[in-house]
Amino acid sequence: MSFKEQIIPEKLPAHIAIIMDGNGRWAMKQGKDRVFGHQHGIGAVRNAAEAAAELGVKYLTVYAFSTENWNRPRMEVDALMSLFVETIEQEQETLKKNNIRLNAIGDLASLPKENYKKLMDAIGRTKDHNRMVLTLAMSYSSRWEILDAVKKILEDYNRKKITADDLTEAYFGLKLTTAGMPDPELLIRTSGESRLSNFLLWQAAYTELYFTSKLWPEFEKEDLYEAIVNYQNRERRFGLTSQQLNR
Ligand code: FPP
């Protein structure tokens, strides 16, 4: 039976997050430069988005560019920025066909002005799509996001809009860039690395982590199905015991 056939629709994760890693290594393996790998990573994003939408996943969040990625060689950063804009414009048709709403999280103000504008335009064009939300994490890091949330909360506190007792997990969540989204049930990282690299640290408190040695440009629909089947075979206990869950 294929992995797709093994998926139990009732146990589908509502939110899947992906750390798309290994573009550089994939390119180097074939004697090409790193940008070639990023270019080939786009097809994998398209496959993952289409597969997730077709299954009925409601939110797909991909780590496209971290705060730390700004420290890569200037040429690679510039190439990635151009690639993002070109891709977002070229993929309008895929987004429309699959009824996918585009969203972005991160320190978007730090993006080059033109990129920011084009990103916002593309997001605006998909605002009425309602099958799935595809979120690009751009210039994103969890530590940045958490500090940003704390600053917003301090502002509310100083304006006497809240007292210390109002600071609940739910309230904190509303100040994060993912406000309104459910936490991801499943987080996938490609390329054999087993770490979160500053991605969705608050949101991933109870997320099931799935690591695969596939490099991102090699990631196909079947790999997403395999990750979902693996997730569905786990017991999520949220701090309870197995006996409590199965009573
Ligand atoms: C990590 O691989 C990948 C990135 C930093 C960029 C990811 C971007 C894409 C896949 C393009 C997608 C475009 C859109 C619009 C979402 P790496 O360079 O760290 O690989 P390495 O670890 O092998 O060096």
Side-chain angles (χ1 to χ4, degrees):
M1 219 183 351
S2 71
F3 286 115
K4 190 176 185 189
E5 288 164 333
Q6 291 174 54
I7 293 176
I8 305 161
E10 300 74 36
K11 281 177 73 180
L12 198 66
H15 185 176
I16 299 178
I18 307 184
I19 301 177
M20 313 181 286
D21 197 10
N23 290 349
R25 272 163 287 168
W26 182 84
M28 300 298 216
K29 272 203 330 197
Q30 2 213 339
K32 305 277 190 188
D33 65 22
R34 301 176 48 79
V35 175
F36 183 78
H38 298 315
Q39 287 163 344
H40 279 260
I42 291 165
V45 180
R46 191 187 304 120
N47 286 341
E50 273 191 353
E54 282 160 9
L55 286 173
V57 171
K58 289 292 165 201
Y59 298 88
L60 179 69
T61 302
V62 297
Y63 206 0
F65 194 84
S66 72
T67 311
E68 292 75 22
N69 286 153
W70 289 112
N71 299 322
R72 290 195 172 193
R74 178 73 195 270
M75 196 213 89
E76 185 173 341
V77 171
D78 289 349
L80 272 169
M81 288 298 143
S82 310
L83 195 63
F84 292 141
V85 171
E86 283 162 25
T87 307
I88 287 162
E89 299 203 319
Q90 277 164 18
E91 297 297 327
Q92 284 298 314
E93 211 33 58
T94 311
L95 297 174
K96 199 171 164 195
K97 189 179 88 196
N98 292 286
N99 196 10
I100 296 172
R101 179 156 73 81
L102 190 65
N103 178 38
I105 57 171
D107 184 11
L108 304 178
S110 68
L111 295 173
K113 260 204 178 73
E114 196 53 25
N115 289 48
Y116 177 80
K117 192 181 167 311
K118 288 186 171 168
L119 178 64
M120 289 304 140
D121 287 348
I123 288 176
R125 282 197 290 274
T126 66
K127 70 176 183 351
D128 296 325
H129 298 176
N130 56 15
R131 191 176 182 199
M132 184 181 85
V133 179
L134 171 63
T135 300
L136 308 179
M138 302 265 260
S139 193
Y140 174 90
S141 78
S142 279
R143 289 183 177 183
W144 166 82
E145 180 186 42
I146 289 169
L147 285 180
D148 189 59
V150 171
K151 285 179 199 165
K152 289 177 189 156
I153 289 166
L154 281 176
E155 236 173 71
D156 286 352
Y157 183 80
N158 286 336
R159 289 191 183 151
K160 309 227 180 306
K161 279 168 75 181
I162 55 159
T163 67
D165 289 339
D166 295 321
L167 187 48
T168 58
E169 286 188 14
Y171 185 81
F172 195 86
L174 287 177
K175 300 296 176 182
L176 296 171
T177 59
T178 51
M181 290 189 206
D183 288 341
E185 293 97 327
L186 169 63
L187 186 148
I188 299 168
R189 182 172 188 152
T190 55
S191 93
E193 310 291 352
S194 317
R195 53 177 175 270
L196 288 177
S197 298
N198 221 345
F199 188 45
L200 302 178
L201 298 184
W202 173 278
Q203 298 86 340
Y206 283 100
T207 300
E208 295 295 330
L209 308 180
Y210 178 86
F211 301 106
T212 166
S213 59
K214 280 261 173 111
L215 302 173
W216 180 249
E218 302 166 336
F219 194 83
E220 294 177 348
K221 287 187 175 187
E222 198 60 16
D223 298 307
L224 184 77
Y225 304 145
E226 182 174 2
I228 293 173
V229 169
N230 181 292
Y231 156 83
Q232 292 187 331
N233 286 325
R234 299 185 193 185
E235 180 180 61
R236 304 189 75 208
R237 291 200 295 274
F238 301 98
L240 300 179
T241 67
S242 201
Q243 287 83 348
Q244 283 176 303
L245 282 178
N246 295 313
R247 240 202 313 255

